[in-house]
Amino acid sequence: MTLELGVLVSGNGSNLQAILDAIAARTLDARVRVVVSNQPGAFAVERARQASVPSVVCSHKDYASRQAFDQRLIELLQEAGAEWIVLAGFMRILTPEFMQAFKGRVLNIHPALLPAFPGTHAIRQALAYGVKITGCTVHWVDSGVDSGPIVLQEAVPVLDNDTEESLGERIHRAEHALFVDALRKLSQGSIAPPGQA
Ligand code: GAR
């Protein structure tokens, strides 16, 4: 099946780029219906523009509450015809109302082997802890922070002289392949949403 995607972003958008590239190369059967960024300056928005994909900047700062912001996100995604929601570096916690609107249809990528190092500084924390292996995780999103059933993981070794930047680069490369792989498997029916396995 062709996946109708809504992609939520907050930053650079390299994971979005990997998805756009795979769609353009016809190695992923999907369409990005809309990219929504909560950060006005996010480079991800420029990437969407270059790929001629609709994008919207919707700053959470313009909304009185988390609920009001998420309600707007729901509207934007539904109006665009997004059926599957991809969190590609989206740094906001989503409300139960959002999760209800897209129940079992929200995928996230995280730069660690969850359940280790959830949150916003996973790479820095892995280095500080001294783990020898970290990696990345694609998972279904539930109401927690970086929690929910794991779909795919890829291990990335930590090298002796690694910095946050060098380790981050290797993790990001692994993320790009892993996210596209997860979406491809979803479109091919070899992974199923939680509760439908
Ligand atoms: C990615 O490493 C993603 O795993 C991480 O943000 C980065 C976004 O990069 N997400 C989280 O940490 C979620 N807790 P990108 O904008 O270049 O795709």
Side-chain angles (χ1 to χ4, degrees):
M1 90 180 131
T2 304
L3 302 176
E4 307 294 349
L5 303 178
V7 184
L8 300 185
V9 296
S10 301
N12 177 25
S14 67
N15 279 285
L16 166 67
Q17 189 69 58
I19 293 166
L20 292 170
D21 290 349
I23 293 171
R26 296 178 181 274
T27 56
L28 173 63
D29 185 8
R31 219 175 350 235
V32 177
R33 290 291 193 129
V34 68
V35 172
V36 183
S37 173
N38 69 311
Q39 294 289 356
F43 187 58
V45 174
E46 174 60 21
R47 293 180 190 271
R49 202 189 58 75
Q50 281 175 16
S52 304
V53 159
S55 60
V56 184
V57 172
C58 178
S59 171
H60 55 280
K61 293 182 182 158
D62 295 340
Y63 294 82
S65 66
R66 203 174 271 282
Q67 278 69 23
F69 172 65
D70 276 18
Q71 187 51 47
R72 183 63 190 137
L73 285 186
I74 294 169
E75 285 164 13
L76 286 168
L77 292 163
Q78 287 179 341
E79 280 164 14
E83 291 174 0
W84 300 91
I85 311 306
V86 173
L87 308 185
F90 184 65
M91 298 309 207
R92 299 277 308 165
I93 295 166
L94 293 163
T95 55
E97 289 78 8
F98 184 97
M99 296 317 303
Q100 188 58 38
F102 296 104
K103 212 175 171 42
R105 289 173 166 260
V106 187
L107 278 170
N108 182 40
I109 182 106
H110 184 73
L113 293 177
L114 290 172
F117 310 121
T120 46
H121 300 294
I123 299 169
R124 188 181 312 166
Q125 287 173 357
L127 268 180
Y129 207 94
V131 295
K132 302 302 176 201
I133 296 170
T134 182
C136 49
T137 303
V138 174
H139 67 96
W140 295 108
V141 177
D142 64 14
S143 53
V145 176
D146 296 320
S147 68
I150 288 170
V151 177
L152 292 178
Q153 288 188 309
E154 178 85 21
V156 175
V158 181
L159 306 180
D160 283 347
N161 298 321
D162 257 339
T163 59
E164 199 175 328
E165 201 186 0
S166 63
L167 178 58
E169 239 170 64
R170 292 204 308 288
I171 291 178
H172 286 140
R173 265 204 304 277
E175 283 190 329
H176 301 158
L178 196 73
F179 219 176
V180 169
D181 196 25
L183 291 169
R184 187 183 300 117
K185 287 189 161 92
L186 180 63
S187 84
Q188 292 170 346
S190 61
I191 62 169
Q196 293 176 33

